[in-house]
Amino acid sequence: MMTFNRRHASLAMLASLAACGSSGPSSAPAPQFKRYSGPPVTQVAVYKGQRRMHLLNGQTVLRSYDFGLGNQPVGHKQFEGDGKTPEGLYFIDRFNPRSRYHLSVGISYPNDQNKAYAAQFGRSAGSDIMFHGRGPEGNALAPRNRDWTAGCLALTDQEIEDVYAMLQPGVPVMLYA
């Protein structure tokens, strides 16, 4: 006679969980991600004044996009809540497939210099600077005001899907005035 042990219990639990999978209708569709199989992006160049971003492989522009900025677009971000977008060299450091702005890709702001500068004034440098889509909030705001974010770079939802697929952690991002 076969005994029912922990292994059997674990297998039974996994089987019951698998039965709750994607066979029926779901309130939230599973995220669908684009795939990119072209040359790797080796740098992102962002020109804030022109509202133009280039994804590069060496010196070759692979794709270019227009974007919106923070609600105070002129100048370098210094403090949390200033509505500005950073300037300088940063790196891709995270990906959020469940962003409230469709998808988002993070840059490494604030760096140690940014933190030290803000600390001199007893303030926070801020955080969570991202390339992101619009999502419902941005789709409502962007038609009236191109620069509507809190300091991020906003693309359309379709464009952020491309960017999300093309970028990898560690890619340098140079943000120019």
PDB file of all heavy atoms in Angstrom, residues 118-155:
ATOM      1  N   ALA A 118      21.989  67.330  -2.818  1.00  0.00           N
ATOM      2  CA  ALA A 118      20.706  67.561  -2.139  1.00  0.00           C
ATOM      3  C   ALA A 118      20.884  67.560  -0.624  1.00  0.00           C
ATOM      4  O   ALA A 118      20.263  68.365   0.077  1.00  0.00           O
ATOM      5  CB  ALA A 118      19.690  66.509  -2.568  1.00  0.00           C
ATOM      6  N   ALA A 119      21.754  66.683  -0.127  1.00  0.00           N
ATOM      7  CA  ALA A 119      21.968  66.587   1.316  1.00  0.00           C
ATOM      8  C   ALA A 119      22.537  67.882   1.890  1.00  0.00           C
ATOM      9  O   ALA A 119      22.256  68.227   3.049  1.00  0.00           O
ATOM     10  CB  ALA A 119      22.899  65.421   1.626  1.00  0.00           C
ATOM     11  N   GLN A 120      23.319  68.633   1.094  1.00  0.00           N
ATOM     12  CA  GLN A 120      23.856  69.919   1.557  1.00  0.00           C
ATOM     13  C   GLN A 120      22.743  70.865   1.976  1.00  0.00           C
ATOM     14  O   GLN A 120      22.952  71.754   2.791  1.00  0.00           O
ATOM     15  CB  GLN A 120      24.629  70.615   0.432  1.00  0.00           C
ATOM     16  CG  GLN A 120      25.895  69.972   0.011  1.00  0.00           C
ATOM     17  CD  GLN A 120      26.513  70.773  -1.125  1.00  0.00           C
ATOM     18  OE1 GLN A 120      27.383  71.595  -0.871  1.00  0.00           O
ATOM     19  NE2 GLN A 120      26.058  70.553  -2.340  1.00  0.00           N
ATOM     20  N   PHE A 121      21.578  70.686   1.375  1.00  0.00           N
ATOM     21  CA  PHE A 121      20.432  71.554   1.651  1.00  0.00           C
ATOM     22  C   PHE A 121      19.396  70.862   2.531  1.00  0.00           C
ATOM     23  O   PHE A 121      18.279  71.359   2.697  1.00  0.00           O
ATOM     24  CB  PHE A 121      19.783  71.986   0.318  1.00  0.00           C
ATOM     25  CG  PHE A 121      20.726  72.755  -0.557  1.00  0.00           C
ATOM     26  CD1 PHE A 121      21.486  72.100  -1.513  1.00  0.00           C
ATOM     27  CD2 PHE A 121      20.884  74.131  -0.406  1.00  0.00           C
ATOM     28  CE1 PHE A 121      22.372  72.805  -2.322  1.00  0.00           C
ATOM     29  CE2 PHE A 121      21.770  74.838  -1.198  1.00  0.00           C
ATOM     30  CZ  PHE A 121      22.520  74.171  -2.163  1.00  0.00           C
ATOM     31  N   GLY A 122      19.789  69.703   3.066  1.00  0.00           N
ATOM     32  CA  GLY A 122      18.875  68.963   3.925  1.00  0.00           C
ATOM     33  C   GLY A 122      17.674  68.402   3.177  1.00  0.00           C
ATOM     34  O   GLY A 122      16.603  68.249   3.761  1.00  0.00           O
ATOM     35  N   ARG A 123      17.865  68.103   1.909  1.00  0.00           N
ATOM     36  CA  ARG A 123      16.750  67.636   1.080  1.00  0.00           C
ATOM     37  C   ARG A 123      17.088  66.299   0.430  1.00  0.00           C
ATOM     38  O   ARG A 123      18.239  65.881   0.403  1.00  0.00           O
ATOM     39  CB  ARG A 123      16.435  68.671   0.006  1.00  0.00           C
ATOM     40  CG  ARG A 123      16.064  70.009   0.658  1.00  0.00           C
ATOM     41  CD  ARG A 123      15.434  71.013  -0.186  1.00  0.00           C
ATOM     42  NE  ARG A 123      14.279  70.548  -0.950  1.00  0.00           N
ATOM     43  CZ  ARG A 123      13.804  71.225  -1.987  1.00  0.00           C
ATOM     44  NH1 ARG A 123      14.378  72.352  -2.354  1.00  0.00           N
ATOM     45  NH2 ARG A 123      12.751  70.791  -2.641  1.00  0.00           N
ATOM     46  N   SER A 124      16.082  65.684  -0.149  1.00  0.00           N
ATOM     47  CA  SER A 124      16.242  64.452  -0.910  1.00  0.00           C
ATOM     48  C   SER A 124      16.442  64.806  -2.375  1.00  0.00           C
ATOM     49  O   SER A 124      15.833  65.748  -2.880  1.00  0.00           O
ATOM     50  CB  SER A 124      14.996  63.584  -0.763  1.00  0.00           C
ATOM     51  OG  SER A 124      14.996  62.540  -1.711  1.00  0.00           O
ATOM     52  N   ALA A 125      17.264  64.025  -3.062  1.00  0.00           N
ATOM     53  CA  ALA A 125      17.475  64.233  -4.499  1.00  0.00           C
ATOM     54  C   ALA A 125      16.312  63.695  -5.324  1.00  0.00           C
ATOM     55  O   ALA A 125      16.186  64.001  -6.499  1.00  0.00           O
ATOM     56  CB  ALA A 125      18.764  63.541  -4.936  1.00  0.00           C
ATOM     57  N   GLY A 126      15.445  62.894  -4.711  1.00  0.00           N
ATOM     58  CA  GLY A 126      14.364  62.251  -5.451  1.00  0.00           C
ATOM     59  C   GLY A 126      14.823  60.890  -5.944  1.00  0.00           C
ATOM     60  O   GLY A 126      15.930  60.443  -5.652  1.00  0.00           O
ATOM     61  N   SER A 127      13.959  60.241  -6.698  1.00  0.00           N
ATOM     62  CA  SER A 127      14.276  58.901  -7.198  1.00  0.00           C
ATOM     63  C   SER A 127      13.277  58.514  -8.281  1.00  0.00           C
ATOM     64  O   SER A 127      12.420  59.310  -8.665  1.00  0.00           O
ATOM     65  CB  SER A 127      14.211  57.884  -6.052  1.00  0.00           C
ATOM     66  OG  SER A 127      12.902  57.829  -5.530  1.00  0.00           O
ATOM     67  N   ASP A 128      13.379  57.282  -8.734  1.00  0.00           N
ATOM     68  CA  ASP A 128      12.442  56.694  -9.690  1.00  0.00           C
ATOM     69  C   ASP A 128      12.291  57.491 -10.981  1.00  0.00           C
ATOM     70  O   ASP A 128      11.186  57.737 -11.452  1.00  0.00           O
ATOM     71  CB  ASP A 128      11.066  56.476  -9.055  1.00  0.00           C
ATOM     72  CG  ASP A 128      11.079  55.323  -8.072  1.00  0.00           C
ATOM     73  OD1 ASP A 128      11.929  54.429  -8.241  1.00  0.00           O
ATOM     74  OD2 ASP A 128      10.263  55.320  -7.148  1.00  0.00           O
ATOM     75  N   ILE A 129      13.408  57.881 -11.561  1.00  0.00           N
ATOM     76  CA  ILE A 129      13.364  58.516 -12.883  1.00  0.00           C
ATOM     77  C   ILE A 129      13.345  57.394 -13.919  1.00  0.00           C
ATOM     78  O   ILE A 129      14.190  56.505 -13.903  1.00  0.00           O
ATOM     79  CB  ILE A 129      14.575  59.450 -13.094  1.00  0.00           C
ATOM     80  CG1 ILE A 129      14.575  60.552 -12.033  1.00  0.00           C
ATOM     81  CG2 ILE A 129      14.560  60.031 -14.504  1.00  0.00           C
ATOM     82  CD1 ILE A 129      13.346  61.467 -12.043  1.00  0.00           C
ATOM     83  N   MET A 130      12.362  57.450 -14.789  1.00  0.00           N
ATOM     84  CA  MET A 130      12.101  56.359 -15.722  1.00  0.00           C
ATOM     85  C   MET A 130      11.810  56.868 -17.131  1.00  0.00           C
ATOM     86  O   MET A 130      11.355  57.991 -17.302  1.00  0.00           O
ATOM     87  CB  MET A 130      10.857  55.582 -15.285  1.00  0.00           C
ATOM     88  CG  MET A 130      10.799  55.188 -13.837  1.00  0.00           C
ATOM     89  SD  MET A 130      11.838  53.790 -13.538  1.00  0.00           S
ATOM     90  CE  MET A 130      10.708  52.643 -12.848  1.00  0.00           C
ATOM     91  N   PHE A 131      12.049  55.999 -18.091  1.00  0.00           N
ATOM     92  CA  PHE A 131      11.413  56.107 -19.397  1.00  0.00           C
ATOM     93  C   PHE A 131      10.114  55.337 -19.194  1.00  0.00           C
ATOM     94  O   PHE A 131      10.140  54.205 -18.703  1.00  0.00           O
ATOM     95  CB  PHE A 131      12.214  55.390 -20.487  1.00  0.00           C
ATOM     96  CG  PHE A 131      13.577  55.955 -20.747  1.00  0.00           C
ATOM     97  CD1 PHE A 131      14.710  55.215 -20.469  1.00  0.00           C
ATOM     98  CD2 PHE A 131      13.724  57.217 -21.292  1.00  0.00           C
ATOM     99  CE1 PHE A 131      15.976  55.717 -20.738  1.00  0.00           C
ATOM    100  CE2 PHE A 131      14.985  57.735 -21.569  1.00  0.00           C
ATOM    101  CZ  PHE A 131      16.104  56.982 -21.281  1.00  0.00           C
ATOM    102  N   HIS A 132       8.994  55.920 -19.534  1.00  0.00           N
ATOM    103  CA  HIS A 132       7.746  55.173 -19.372  1.00  0.00           C
ATOM    104  C   HIS A 132       6.737  55.565 -20.439  1.00  0.00           C
ATOM    105  O   HIS A 132       6.911  56.553 -21.152  1.00  0.00           O
ATOM    106  CB  HIS A 132       7.168  55.308 -17.969  1.00  0.00           C
ATOM    107  CG  HIS A 132       6.785  56.686 -17.527  1.00  0.00           C
ATOM    108  ND1 HIS A 132       5.754  57.416 -18.107  1.00  0.00           N
ATOM    109  CD2 HIS A 132       7.270  57.461 -16.536  1.00  0.00           C
ATOM    110  CE1 HIS A 132       5.625  58.575 -17.472  1.00  0.00           C
ATOM    111  NE2 HIS A 132       6.547  58.630 -16.535  1.00  0.00           N
ATOM    112  N   GLY A 133       5.693  54.762 -20.530  1.00  0.00           N
ATOM    113  CA  GLY A 133       4.589  55.058 -21.439  1.00  0.00           C
ATOM    114  C   GLY A 133       3.663  56.077 -20.808  1.00  0.00           C
ATOM    115  O   GLY A 133       4.018  56.757 -19.845  1.00  0.00           O
ATOM    116  N   ARG A 134       2.479  56.162 -21.350  1.00  0.00           N
ATOM    117  CA  ARG A 134       1.507  57.105 -20.824  1.00  0.00           C
ATOM    118  C   ARG A 134       0.545  56.456 -19.832  1.00  0.00           C
ATOM    119  O   ARG A 134       0.243  57.028 -18.810  1.00  0.00           O
ATOM    120  CB  ARG A 134       0.707  57.719 -21.965  1.00  0.00           C
ATOM    121  CG  ARG A 134       1.519  58.659 -22.816  1.00  0.00           C
ATOM    122  CD  ARG A 134       0.662  59.265 -23.886  1.00  0.00           C
ATOM    123  NE  ARG A 134       1.410  60.224 -24.690  1.00  0.00           N
ATOM    124  CZ  ARG A 134       0.932  60.758 -25.792  1.00  0.00           C
ATOM    125  NH1 ARG A 134      -0.279  60.442 -26.229  1.00  0.00           N
ATOM    126  NH2 ARG A 134       1.663  61.619 -26.467  1.00  0.00           N
ATOM    127  N   GLY A 135       0.071  55.285 -20.161  1.00  0.00           N
ATOM    128  CA  GLY A 135      -0.964  54.692 -19.335  1.00  0.00           C
ATOM    129  C   GLY A 135      -2.186  55.605 -19.346  1.00  0.00           C
ATOM    130  O   GLY A 135      -2.204  56.637 -20.034  1.00  0.00           O
ATOM    131  N   PRO A 136      -3.214  55.267 -18.593  1.00  0.00           N
ATOM    132  CA  PRO A 136      -4.437  56.079 -18.594  1.00  0.00           C
ATOM    133  C   PRO A 136      -4.212  57.537 -18.178  1.00  0.00           C
ATOM    134  O   PRO A 136      -4.751  58.456 -18.776  1.00  0.00           O
ATOM    135  CB  PRO A 136      -5.343  55.354 -17.600  1.00  0.00           C
ATOM    136  CG  PRO A 136      -4.828  53.957 -17.553  1.00  0.00           C
ATOM    137  CD  PRO A 136      -3.350  54.053 -17.805  1.00  0.00           C
ATOM    138  N   GLU A 137      -3.387  57.751 -17.146  1.00  0.00           N
ATOM    139  CA  GLU A 137      -3.138  59.117 -16.658  1.00  0.00           C
ATOM    140  C   GLU A 137      -2.476  59.973 -17.730  1.00  0.00           C
ATOM    141  O   GLU A 137      -2.900  61.100 -18.006  1.00  0.00           O
ATOM    142  CB  GLU A 137      -2.259  59.068 -15.408  1.00  0.00           C
ATOM    143  CG  GLU A 137      -1.970  60.423 -14.810  1.00  0.00           C
ATOM    144  CD  GLU A 137      -1.083  60.336 -13.586  1.00  0.00           C
ATOM    145  OE1 GLU A 137      -0.909  59.241 -13.014  1.00  0.00           O
ATOM    146  OE2 GLU A 137      -0.548  61.379 -13.193  1.00  0.00           O
ATOM    147  N   GLY A 138      -1.432  59.451 -18.350  1.00  0.00           N
ATOM    148  CA  GLY A 138      -0.725  60.194 -19.383  1.00  0.00           C
ATOM    149  C   GLY A 138      -1.561  60.410 -20.627  1.00  0.00           C
ATOM    150  O   GLY A 138      -1.471  61.457 -21.272  1.00  0.00           O
ATOM    151  N   ASN A 139      -2.383  59.431 -20.972  1.00  0.00           N
ATOM    152  CA  ASN A 139      -3.256  59.606 -22.135  1.00  0.00           C
ATOM    153  C   ASN A 139      -4.244  60.743 -21.913  1.00  0.00           C
ATOM    154  O   ASN A 139      -4.643  61.410 -22.860  1.00  0.00           O
ATOM    155  CB  ASN A 139      -3.991  58.300 -22.464  1.00  0.00           C
ATOM    156  CG  ASN A 139      -3.081  57.311 -23.157  1.00  0.00           C
ATOM    157  OD1 ASN A 139      -2.166  57.683 -23.888  1.00  0.00           O
ATOM    158  ND2 ASN A 139      -3.316  56.035 -22.924  1.00  0.00           N
ATOM    159  N   ALA A 140      -4.614  60.999 -20.664  1.00  0.00           N
ATOM    160  CA  ALA A 140      -5.489  62.125 -20.359  1.00  0.00           C
ATOM    161  C   ALA A 140      -4.722  63.449 -20.324  1.00  0.00           C
ATOM    162  O   ALA A 140      -5.229  64.479 -20.772  1.00  0.00           O
ATOM    163  CB  ALA A 140      -6.189  61.894 -19.019  1.00  0.00           C
ATOM    164  N   LEU A 141      -3.490  63.442 -19.814  1.00  0.00           N
ATOM    165  CA  LEU A 141      -2.719  64.678 -19.630  1.00  0.00           C
ATOM    166  C   LEU A 141      -1.921  65.121 -20.858  1.00  0.00           C
ATOM    167  O   LEU A 141      -1.831  66.313 -21.139  1.00  0.00           O
ATOM    168  CB  LEU A 141      -1.750  64.514 -18.455  1.00  0.00           C
ATOM    169  CG  LEU A 141      -2.376  64.379 -17.077  1.00  0.00           C
ATOM    170  CD1 LEU A 141      -1.314  64.005 -16.053  1.00  0.00           C
ATOM    171  CD2 LEU A 141      -3.074  65.660 -16.692  1.00  0.00           C
ATOM    172  N   ALA A 142      -1.300  64.186 -21.559  1.00  0.00           N
ATOM    173  CA  ALA A 142      -0.360  64.516 -22.641  1.00  0.00           C
ATOM    174  C   ALA A 142      -0.967  65.346 -23.771  1.00  0.00           C
ATOM    175  O   ALA A 142      -0.288  66.234 -24.283  1.00  0.00           O
ATOM    176  CB  ALA A 142       0.283  63.248 -23.188  1.00  0.00           C
ATOM    177  N   PRO A 143      -2.209  65.116 -24.182  1.00  0.00           N
ATOM    178  CA  PRO A 143      -2.743  65.950 -25.270  1.00  0.00           C
ATOM    179  C   PRO A 143      -2.826  67.440 -24.915  1.00  0.00           C
ATOM    180  O   PRO A 143      -2.716  68.291 -25.784  1.00  0.00           O
ATOM    181  CB  PRO A 143      -4.141  65.375 -25.518  1.00  0.00           C
ATOM    182  CG  PRO A 143      -4.053  63.961 -25.045  1.00  0.00           C
ATOM    183  CD  PRO A 143      -3.113  64.007 -23.865  1.00  0.00           C
ATOM    184  N   ARG A 144      -2.979  67.746 -23.630  1.00  0.00           N
ATOM    185  CA  ARG A 144      -3.069  69.151 -23.192  1.00  0.00           C
ATOM    186  C   ARG A 144      -1.720  69.738 -22.798  1.00  0.00           C
ATOM    187  O   ARG A 144      -1.529  70.947 -22.843  1.00  0.00           O
ATOM    188  CB  ARG A 144      -4.021  69.262 -21.996  1.00  0.00           C
ATOM    189  CG  ARG A 144      -5.463  68.980 -22.323  1.00  0.00           C
ATOM    190  CD  ARG A 144      -6.364  69.297 -21.135  1.00  0.00           C
ATOM    191  NE  ARG A 144      -5.902  68.663 -19.906  1.00  0.00           N
ATOM    192  CZ  ARG A 144      -6.406  67.560 -19.381  1.00  0.00           C
ATOM    193  NH1 ARG A 144      -7.384  66.943 -19.970  1.00  0.00           N
ATOM    194  NH2 ARG A 144      -5.941  67.067 -18.260  1.00  0.00           N
ATOM    195  N   ASN A 145      -0.793  68.877 -22.347  1.00  0.00           N
ATOM    196  CA  ASN A 145       0.485  69.361 -21.831  1.00  0.00           C
ATOM    197  C   ASN A 145       1.568  68.321 -22.119  1.00  0.00           C
ATOM    198  O   ASN A 145       1.592  67.276 -21.479  1.00  0.00           O
ATOM    199  CB  ASN A 145       0.390  69.637 -20.329  1.00  0.00           C
ATOM    200  CG  ASN A 145       1.638  70.277 -19.781  1.00  0.00           C
ATOM    201  OD1 ASN A 145       2.565  70.604 -20.516  1.00  0.00           O
ATOM    202  ND2 ASN A 145       1.670  70.454 -18.479  1.00  0.00           N
ATOM    203  N   ARG A 146       2.448  68.619 -23.029  1.00  0.00           N
ATOM    204  CA  ARG A 146       3.495  67.673 -23.430  1.00  0.00           C
ATOM    205  C   ARG A 146       4.370  67.267 -22.249  1.00  0.00           C
ATOM    206  O   ARG A 146       4.794  66.127 -22.141  1.00  0.00           O
ATOM    207  CB  ARG A 146       4.334  68.312 -24.525  1.00  0.00           C
ATOM    208  CG  ARG A 146       5.426  67.413 -25.031  1.00  0.00           C
ATOM    209  CD  ARG A 146       6.195  68.100 -26.135  1.00  0.00           C
ATOM    210  NE  ARG A 146       6.992  67.115 -26.845  1.00  0.00           N
ATOM    211  CZ  ARG A 146       7.683  67.394 -27.908  1.00  0.00           C
ATOM    212  NH1 ARG A 146       7.677  68.603 -28.403  1.00  0.00           N
ATOM    213  NH2 ARG A 146       8.394  66.465 -28.497  1.00  0.00           N
ATOM    214  N   ASP A 147       4.700  68.198 -21.377  1.00  0.00           N
ATOM    215  CA  ASP A 147       5.576  67.938 -20.230  1.00  0.00           C
ATOM    216  C   ASP A 147       4.722  67.799 -18.971  1.00  0.00           C
ATOM    217  O   ASP A 147       4.462  68.784 -18.274  1.00  0.00           O
ATOM    218  CB  ASP A 147       6.600  69.063 -20.092  1.00  0.00           C
ATOM    219  CG  ASP A 147       7.508  69.158 -21.314  1.00  0.00           C
ATOM    220  OD1 ASP A 147       7.869  68.102 -21.865  1.00  0.00           O
ATOM    221  OD2 ASP A 147       7.839  70.285 -21.705  1.00  0.00           O
ATOM    222  N   TRP A 148       4.305  66.594 -18.673  1.00  0.00           N
ATOM    223  CA  TRP A 148       3.341  66.352 -17.605  1.00  0.00           C
ATOM    224  C   TRP A 148       3.857  65.461 -16.484  1.00  0.00           C
ATOM    225  O   TRP A 148       3.202  65.300 -15.466  1.00  0.00           O
ATOM    226  CB  TRP A 148       2.077  65.718 -18.191  1.00  0.00           C
ATOM    227  CG  TRP A 148       2.332  64.427 -18.915  1.00  0.00           C
ATOM    228  CD1 TRP A 148       2.676  64.295 -20.233  1.00  0.00           C
ATOM    229  CD2 TRP A 148       2.319  63.107 -18.378  1.00  0.00           C
ATOM    230  NE1 TRP A 148       2.864  62.963 -20.543  1.00  0.00           N
ATOM    231  CE2 TRP A 148       2.648  62.217 -19.426  1.00  0.00           C
ATOM    232  CE3 TRP A 148       2.052  62.595 -17.116  1.00  0.00           C
ATOM    233  CZ2 TRP A 148       2.711  60.842 -19.248  1.00  0.00           C
ATOM    234  CZ3 TRP A 148       2.121  61.214 -16.939  1.00  0.00           C
ATOM    235  CH2 TRP A 148       2.442  60.359 -17.996  1.00  0.00           C
ATOM    236  N   THR A 149       5.067  64.891 -16.630  1.00  0.00           N
ATOM    237  CA  THR A 149       5.534  63.940 -15.619  1.00  0.00           C
ATOM    238  C   THR A 149       6.136  64.673 -14.420  1.00  0.00           C
ATOM    239  O   THR A 149       6.273  65.893 -14.424  1.00  0.00           O
ATOM    240  CB  THR A 149       6.585  62.966 -16.203  1.00  0.00           C
ATOM    241  OG1 THR A 149       7.844  63.647 -16.324  1.00  0.00           O
ATOM    242  CG2 THR A 149       6.151  62.409 -17.556  1.00  0.00           C
ATOM    243  N   ALA A 150       6.544  63.897 -13.421  1.00  0.00           N
ATOM    244  CA  ALA A 150       7.213  64.458 -12.246  1.00  0.00           C
ATOM    245  C   ALA A 150       8.728  64.528 -12.446  1.00  0.00           C
ATOM    246  O   ALA A 150       9.449  64.850 -11.511  1.00  0.00           O
ATOM    247  CB  ALA A 150       6.874  63.621 -11.015  1.00  0.00           C
ATOM    248  N   GLY A 151       9.205  64.243 -13.649  1.00  0.00           N
ATOM    249  CA  GLY A 151      10.640  64.271 -13.945  1.00  0.00           C
ATOM    250  C   GLY A 151      11.074  63.148 -14.866  1.00  0.00           C
ATOM    251  O   GLY A 151      12.223  63.079 -15.273  1.00  0.00           O
ATOM    252  N   CYS A 152      10.148  62.275 -15.205  1.00  0.00           N
ATOM    253  CA  CYS A 152      10.452  61.145 -16.091  1.00  0.00           C
ATOM    254  C   CYS A 152      10.379  61.569 -17.550  1.00  0.00           C
ATOM    255  O   CYS A 152      10.014  62.692 -17.869  1.00  0.00           O
ATOM    256  CB  CYS A 152       9.444  60.015 -15.842  1.00  0.00           C
ATOM    257  SG  CYS A 152       9.582  59.296 -14.193  1.00  0.00           S
ATOM    258  N   LEU A 153      10.712  60.638 -18.426  1.00  0.00           N
ATOM    259  CA  LEU A 153      10.625  60.842 -19.875  1.00  0.00           C
ATOM    260  C   LEU A 153       9.480  59.977 -20.381  1.00  0.00           C
ATOM    261  O   LEU A 153       9.542  58.749 -20.273  1.00  0.00           O
ATOM    262  CB  LEU A 153      11.933  60.443 -20.546  1.00  0.00           C
ATOM    263  CG  LEU A 153      13.098  61.335 -20.127  1.00  0.00           C
ATOM    264  CD1 LEU A 153      13.954  60.659 -19.100  1.00  0.00           C
ATOM    265  CD2 LEU A 153      13.895  61.739 -21.322  1.00  0.00           C
ATOM    266  N   ALA A 154       8.440  60.604 -20.904  1.00  0.00           N
ATOM    267  CA  ALA A 154       7.228  59.892 -21.295  1.00  0.00           C
ATOM    268  C   ALA A 154       7.145  59.703 -22.801  1.00  0.00           C
ATOM    269  O   ALA A 154       7.250  60.663 -23.566  1.00  0.00           O
ATOM    270  CB  ALA A 154       5.998  60.648 -20.801  1.00  0.00           C
ATOM    271  N   LEU A 155       6.942  58.468 -23.197  1.00  0.00           N
ATOM    272  CA  LEU A 155       6.735  58.074 -24.587  1.00  0.00           C
ATOM    273  C   LEU A 155       5.293  57.605 -24.720  1.00  0.00           C
ATOM    274  O   LEU A 155       4.579  57.502 -23.723  1.00  0.00           O
ATOM    275  CB  LEU A 155       7.684  56.921 -24.934  1.00  0.00           C
ATOM    276  CG  LEU A 155       9.160  57.173 -24.670  1.00  0.00           C
ATOM    277  CD1 LEU A 155       9.926  55.868 -24.555  1.00  0.00           C
ATOM    278  CD2 LEU A 155       9.735  58.026 -25.778  1.00  0.00           C
TER     279      LEU A 155
END
